[in-house]
Amino acid sequence: MSESFLIRGATLPSGERADILLEGGRIADVGTLADAAGATVVDADGLVALPGLVDLHTHLREPGYEQSETVLTGTRAAAAGGFTAVFAMANTFPVADTAGVVEQELSLGEAAGYATVQPIGAVTVGLKGEQLAELGAMAASRARVRVFSDDGFCVFDPLLMRRALEYVKAFDGVIAQHAQEPRLTQGAQMNEGALSGELGLAGWPAVAEESIIARDVLLAEHVGSRLHVCHVSTAGSVEVVRWAKARGIDVTAEVTPHHLLLTEELVAGYDPRYKVNPPLRRQEDVDALRAALADGTIDIVATDHAPHPVEAKECEWDAAANGMVGLESALSVVQQTMVDSGLMGWADVARVLSATPARIGRLSGHGEPVAAGSAAELTLLDPTATADFGVDRLAGRSVNSPYLGRTLPGRVVATFHRGVPTVLDGEVRASDEIAAAFARLAEGSARG
Amino acid sequence: MRHLLSTRDLSRDDAIALLDVAEDMAAVQEREVKKLPTLRGRTVVNLFFEDSTRTRISFEAAAKRLSADVINFSAKGSSVSKGESLKDTAQTLQAMGADGVVIRHPSSGAPFTLATSGWIDAGVVNAGDGTHEHPTQALLDAFTMRRRLHGAASRGRDLDGVRVVVVGDILHSRVARSNVWLLETLGAEVTLVAPPTLVPVDVSGWPAVIEYDLDRALAAGPDVVMMLRIQAERMQGAFFPNSREYARTWGLDDHRFAQLPETTMVMHPGPMNRGLEIAARAADSMQSTVREQVANGVSVRMAALYLLLSGERGETP
């Protein structure tokens, strides 16, 4: 296979139809193009060409929890879902709270080759919420960390949160907060409401999220810092973020695909595949989240891809782990909930799943428009393919997907990362093929 | 009946049929030889992940009086943190040929998971799961009410118009939940009385009236007052200031008891905290059904095991 690709007849996010030439790791040309010598032709008739997707919230589990996922398997899942860059959360073992660990994560990503792995640094040492981690050292490391998060835990201490928000201004960083008041959610198992009372499961009240977001936007305003809110899940949180933005506070927010589609009623069968933190909420919340994503109150979709081994989900509800895999299904869920419903177009999808997450995370070389001169990070989607979502669609190590057995629209046909296809004809390519392609590409640019 | 997981799944006819079988079982209990051969050759496992001697021996007596072989499996502690998972335990019991599993578990929904996972073919009886349900307790409570009200003419009767006041920790009570659904099915009118901290945040869908004032609830002249046990750990959870204030405000003390008509039943699922939620005078009075509840528990559990395990599995009796 050659190292240049001529993508014929793709539909751009704008709706225009165009050919796209990828050459030397960049988009060389977009328009009505003549055959290019030596280029592999990809028929993209009917396919939507999106800038390579960027996930601001991925759990890759390595180092430490390789039975759930590794950087290699997690980025393979990313490629399968059309992602070319993932931000790796810090709750590994050891925790990514030093320059050493984030550089290791970066190296593992470079070796894997399926996608850019941008490490997120922990806000506090060991995610314990007691003492700031070496934020500056992580920022200055080879991993160039700009996003800091204790995700899984809330930076609950208001003084520590204030200091973290202030401190990262020195290097244009952002604190990505897991908004969960810990005292209000002790032992919490599902959304608190009528259903939790009937099922006898301890409630996770919406106010536990909303009160932390309210506090944090006020702190961000006070110290003039940038705040990012992870996995917003309630209608009340949307109102708080909307208020903060109207006030000019520098806050961004994300929503997960599962909070755009699934509701708490699924918990009624005590199937732990539906156990996630923050929990699935009510239909009113789902509707508010969709509206907020469409009107820009919520800036991005992030997967919160959280792989777990089978035994962590094949058990009673209380004992089960929180989390769902989401990389492979994210684009399909966004298509179903936002595009097919008429709330957004493909240009909006490119914004919320690529351009804006790259901008929030200060990641260069990603989220650029499908235009000549941009980095060759590209996803081709067949929006007309509708199929049962089965385990064959999962490319990571874990299978804890809430969508198995559901019908979802859309299928990623090809993903190009740095000009090299990581997915082609709907199949994830073997890692040695990708490594060989990168080697030839590097050789070519050395000669050129 | 395939499993008994929740009183919510029971129709009025199912519930009355079960109570009527329990009447037959109670009649057997009055004989000199209390044992029936019905479940000879069947194996019932009492799978208890939480200590409860009272409930376990009640099920054990019920199974033995139906001539089933009984295995007691005490697996206290969280299944995942302390070794064997629920799945492995279930598959072990399957391999041993258990026909019925009576499960008590600290996690809400664990019996449902056991019954629907495909790990085991046995009929599952929920003997109390977390803060969810305790269906045989509600059935024995209904049985007790029916017997007190209708005596020998109980068969075929429901609880239409019976006014029941349930007092105590509704939030954490599996007894309250199972009672609310079953009493509604049988036609009773339920009032739940508790401090607001011990009521679930949204009970708008429950077929019950919520009342914070015990005296007002009692002044309405209920037919039944059911007191629930206050767990020691609730004292630490800031649900109420202390046990003195609880007893004063929500306890069935001597004064409140004295004002009840003599026809009002006083119920308690046990074990009782005398002096906290119920005064000794009320607990030991003629109106108290506490000991009948224990005796009726065996009859009702015999009925449940009989309906689940006799004849072809999965067949509707």
Side-chain angles (χ1 to χ4, degrees):
Chain A
M1 197 176 288
S2 65
E3 268 59 69
S4 52
F5 292 85
L6 179 60
I7 297 162
R8 279 271 181 229
T11 305
L12 301 183
S14 61
E16 287 169 76
R17 195 181 149 94
D19 307 326
I20 304 164
L21 181 65
L22 307 182
E23 222 166 40
R26 306 216 68 85
I27 297 179
D29 208 352
V30 176
T32 305
L33 305 178
D35 282 346
T40 305
V41 174
V42 177
D43 176 16
D45 187 36
L47 305 186
V48 177
L50 295 168
L53 308 184
V54 177
D55 188 17
L56 198 62
H57 193 145
T58 306
H59 295 276
L60 290 178
R61 304 295 189 216
E62 189 182 9
Y65 305 104
E66 291 83 356
Q67 76 276 22
S68 302
E69 194 82 281
T70 64
V71 172
L72 178 65
T73 62
T75 52
R76 199 168 63 203
F83 288 86
T84 55
V86 295
F87 283 75
M89 273 298 173
N91 62 340
T92 50
F93 185 82
V95 170
D97 57 4
T98 62
V101 179
V102 292
E103 288 189 349
Q104 182 196 2
E105 190 85 24
L106 183 76
S107 300
L108 288 167
E110 287 164 349
Y114 280 105
T116 297
V117 173
Q118 173 56 57
I120 291 173
V123 178
T124 66
V125 175
L127 309 175
K128 290 191 189 307
E130 291 163 359
Q131 183 190 346
L132 287 184
E134 291 180 7
L135 309 179
M138 289 189 275
S141 75
R142 203 168 69 79
R144 295 188 69 259
V145 176
R146 292 296 177 270
V147 181
F148 298 89
S149 181
D150 276 0
D151 182 65
F153 301 95
C154 184
V155 181
F156 171 59
D157 181 334
L159 182 62
L160 204 59
M161 186 61 183
R162 175 203 165 136
R163 297 284 187 247
L165 284 165
E166 285 179 301
Y167 194 79
V168 300
K169 284 202 283 189
F171 34 83
D172 195 24
V174 64
I175 304 296
Q177 174 72 296
H178 171 114
Q180 176 179 4
E181 217 286 349
R183 288 278 290 156
L184 285 173
T185 52
Q186 275 179 349
Q189 296 293 327
M190 71 169 293
N191 179 50
E192 181 164 295
L195 189 60
S196 65
E198 289 175 21
L199 295 177
L201 291 173
W204 199 131
V207 62
E209 175 174 304
E210 293 152 7
S211 59
I212 291 292
I213 298 175
R215 180 200 77 176
D216 286 353
V217 295
L218 291 170
L219 282 173
E221 177 180 48
H222 181 61
V223 298
S225 290
R226 200 152 71 90
L227 170 71
H228 177 73
V229 186
C230 296
H231 40 54
V232 166
S233 71
T234 77
S237 296
V238 167
E239 288 307 310
V240 175
V241 172
R242 186 172 284 138
W243 174 84
K245 286 189 164 183
R247 216 171 142 89
I249 298 170
D250 195 357
V251 58
T252 53
E254 77 191 27
V255 62
T256 68
H258 46 273
H259 287 114
L260 288 173
L261 180 62
L262 308 177
T263 58
E264 64 171 355
E265 278 73 26
L266 291 164
V267 178
Y270 297 100
D271 181 346
R273 276 196 301 149
Y274 302 113
K275 184 171 175 180
V276 66
N277 189 22
L280 301 179
R281 305 283 188 188
R282 307 161 305 158
Q283 187 62 45
E284 299 95 294
D285 296 301
V286 166
D287 294 342
L289 292 166
R290 291 183 186 184
L293 183 63
D295 74 18
T297 302
I298 291 177
D299 301 84
I300 65 167
V301 173
T303 68
D304 197 3
H305 178 82
H308 288 291
V310 169
E311 62 270 21
K313 291 288 190 180
E314 268 195 343
C315 55
E316 60 274 28
W317 181 273
D318 285 359
N322 277 308
M324 305 168 163
V325 295
L327 284 166
E328 301 98 324
S329 48
L331 189 52
S332 288
V333 174
V334 169
Q335 183 187 332
Q336 178 175 335
T337 58
M338 302 303 296
V339 180
D340 293 353
S341 64
L343 289 168
M344 291 190 352
W346 291 112
D348 300 310
V349 173
R351 171 171 54 81
V352 302
L353 269 169
S354 182
T356 307
R359 179 175 57 73
I360 292 169
R362 303 294 191 251
L363 181 65
S364 59
H366 286 275
E368 298 174 357
V370 183
S374 292
E377 307 287 343
L378 200 69
T379 296
L380 297 179
L381 171 79
D382 179 0
T384 64
T386 293
D388 283 347
F389 192 87
V391 282
D392 59 305
R393 295 281 290 273
L394 299 175
R397 180 160 284 180
S398 294
V399 296
N400 54 307
S401 167
Y403 308 110
L404 296 176
R406 275 179 182 262
T407 302
L408 290 178
R411 170 131 206 180
V412 171
V413 174
T415 307
F416 293 89
H417 173 47
R418 294 166 55 206
V420 170
T422 52
V423 174
L424 204 57
D425 300 325
E427 298 294 329
V428 181
R429 295 178 74 205
S431 57
D432 54 346
E433 286 178 44
I434 293 169
F438 280 129
R440 287 195 299 274
L441 206 65
E443 208 175 289
S445 62
R447 260 184 288 141
Chain B
M1 200 186 293
R2 180 79 178 83
H3 306 289
L4 179 57
L5 303 175
S6 160
T7 56
R8 221 176 169 180
D9 317 330
L10 292 176
S11 66
R12 184 180 286 224
D13 288 348
D14 286 346
I16 290 173
L18 194 148
L19 298 180
D20 288 351
V21 174
E23 285 288 348
D24 299 338
M25 297 300 174
V28 173
Q29 300 315 296
E30 283 152 25
R31 296 186 205 156
E32 197 175 341
V33 177
K34 297 185 170 62
K35 202 156 172 159
L36 291 171
T38 320
L39 296 184
R40 190 151 51 204
R42 305 282 170 131
T43 301
V44 173
V45 178
N46 287 324
L47 179 59
F48 275 55
F49 289 88
E50 204 177 65
D51 286 333
S52 174
T53 309
R54 300 165 64 97
T55 305
R56 185 183 55 73
I57 62 176
S58 181
F59 271 106
E60 186 171 352
K64 284 181 169 166
R65 287 178 191 176
L66 291 168
S67 303
D69 296 318
V70 179
I71 297 170
N72 287 314
F73 188 132
S74 173
K76 200 189 161 199
S78 153
S79 57
V80 165
S81 65
K82 292 190 180 165
E84 193 173 69
S85 69
L86 183 61
K87 178 181 179 179
D88 288 328
T89 305
Q91 290 180 337
T92 300
L93 301 181
Q94 171 76 1
M96 287 176 181
D99 298 294
V101 176
V102 174
I103 178 174
R104 160 68 65 99
H105 201 289
S107 295
S108 298
F112 186 89
T113 300
L114 188 67
T116 57
S117 58
W119 302 329
I120 191 165
D121 299 327
V124 175
V125 180
N126 180 1
D129 61 327
T131 56
H132 179 223
E133 286 225 33
H134 192 355
T136 57
Q137 178 70 45
L139 285 161
L140 77 87
D141 290 340
F143 183 86
T144 303
M145 289 178 212
R146 200 174 74 154
R147 271 211 148 183
R148 276 260 173 145
L149 291 167
H150 303 297
S154 288
R155 278 190 179 76
R157 304 290 291 261
D158 55 23
L159 296 173
D160 250 339
V162 177
R163 288 166 305 153
V164 182
V165 170
V166 181
V167 188
D169 182 358
I170 308 301
L171 178 63
H172 301 96
S173 177
R174 49 198 175 207
V175 176
R177 281 173 182 73
S178 285
N179 262 299
V180 164
W181 308 126
L182 182 64
L183 289 170
E184 149 82 359
T185 299
L186 291 173
E189 295 162 18
V190 181
T191 301
L192 302 173
V193 181
T197 47
L198 290 174
V199 179
V201 72
D202 183 353
V203 286
S204 54
W206 292 29
V209 172
I210 308 297
E211 170 67 85
Y212 303 134
D213 186 336
L214 177 58
D215 291 312
R216 194 158 57 202
L218 296 183
D223 301 299
V224 178
V225 178
M226 184 186 295
M227 306 306 296
L228 300 176
R229 178 180 170 80
I230 285 292
Q231 306 277 353
E233 59 261 37
R234 305 299 167 232
M235 321 273 183
Q236 275 82 56
F239 290 100
F240 47 85
N242 56 42
S243 56
R244 275 195 320 282
E245 176 154 322
Y246 183 88
R248 198 159 52 227
T249 318
W250 288 283
L252 186 61
D253 59 15
D254 287 348
H255 177 69
R256 289 192 177 106
F257 175 67
Q259 294 187 317
L260 287 177
E262 280 180 16
T263 52
T264 302
M265 275 178 252
V266 173
M267 305 186 76
H268 194 296
M272 294 182 282
N273 291 304
R274 287 169 182 259
L276 177 51
E277 72 264 4
I278 189 165
R281 203 173 133 206
D284 297 331
S285 68
M286 292 299 290
Q287 287 160 256
S288 164
T289 63
V290 172
R291 277 172 299 167
E292 281 159 67
Q293 286 171 272
V294 174
N296 292 341
V298 177
S299 304
V300 163
R301 286 166 181 136
M302 286 174 77
L305 291 171
Y306 170 79
L307 290 173
L308 253 65
L309 302 179
S310 66
E312 288 299 307
R313 290 297 329 287
E315 175 186 82
T316 311

